[in-house]
Amino acid sequence: MSIEPHNFYGTEYNVRVINGFTNNSSLPLVIWCASQHSDLGGRALQEHEDFSWSLKTNLWGTTDRFKCTMKWDRIRRSFEAFKAPRDFQRCGPFRKCSWLVREDGFYFSNDEVSWKKDFSWL
C-alpha cells in the first residue's frame, strides 16, 4: 500500500536527538539544527541530555527538512534529523523521530525501545 505525501501536510512530528555516549562528561556533544527557514540554534549535550523539537509539515516544504550538525571532539558530522519524504512512515503512528548518538554512530527509533544503526561518524 502506498501512502501519498500530500495526505500528511499539516501533520505534527516530534524529533529528539539524545546524547547516548557512555563517558563524555568532560567533552560534551555539540549539536546545531536548522531548516531552510528556522534556526533552532545550538547547544552542548552532556551524557543522556537531549535536544527536542516539534514541527508541522506544510504544502510548501519549508518545514519538511531539518538538518543537524554534530561535533564530538574534532569530528564533525551532519545528518538530516527529519526529512518529510523519508520519515512519513518511518516515524511511526505516533510521529516520533528519535536519534541516539553514540560513540560508534547514529541510531534511529520511532519508539525509543528498538534502535537501528543508521550510519557511523565517519
Side-chain angles (χ1 to χ4, degrees):
M1 179 175 150
S2 173
I3 296 178
E4 297 297 321
H6 66 271
N7 292 337
F8 292 92
Y9 289 117
T11 302
E12 186 171 306
Y13 288 83
N14 296 300
V15 182
R16 183 176 185 215
V17 181
I18 306 161
N19 179 346
F21 281 31
T22 55
N23 187 16
N24 72 323
S25 55
S26 63
L27 189 64
L29 182 65
V30 178
I31 181 172
W32 173 76
C33 299
S35 70
Q36 184 178 356
H37 296 96
S38 178
D39 186 343
L40 301 177
R43 60 188 65 184
L45 302 178
Q46 296 297 332
E47 284 178 40
H48 310 296
E49 289 184 337
D50 70 278
F51 185 29
S52 304
W53 68 95
S54 295
L55 63 97
K56 191 174 274 193
T57 59
N58 65 36
L59 187 59
W60 302 277
T62 55
T63 57
D64 287 352
R65 180 177 292 179
F66 274 85
K67 186 175 182 180
C68 294
T69 299
M70 310 294 291
K71 184 176 179 285
W72 174 42
D73 198 10
R74 295 184 188 127
I75 303 171
R76 196 179 291 258
R77 178 79 150 104
S78 294
F79 73 103
E80 290 178 320
F82 181 83
K83 182 178 177 182
R86 176 193 70 193
D87 293 330
F88 281 134
Q89 291 183 335
R90 183 182 192 194
C91 293
F94 299 108
R95 298 179 298 276
K96 188 174 196 174
C97 315
S98 299
W99 293 92
L100 181 65
V101 183
R102 295 180 177 161
E103 291 88 345
D104 69 335
F106 294 67
Y107 294 75
F108 180 84
S109 176
N110 61 19
D111 61 7
E112 295 188 7
V113 175
S114 301
W115 296 95
K116 181 180 179 234
K117 186 173 182 181
D118 241 34
F119 51 89
S120 299
W121 276 93
L122 302 175

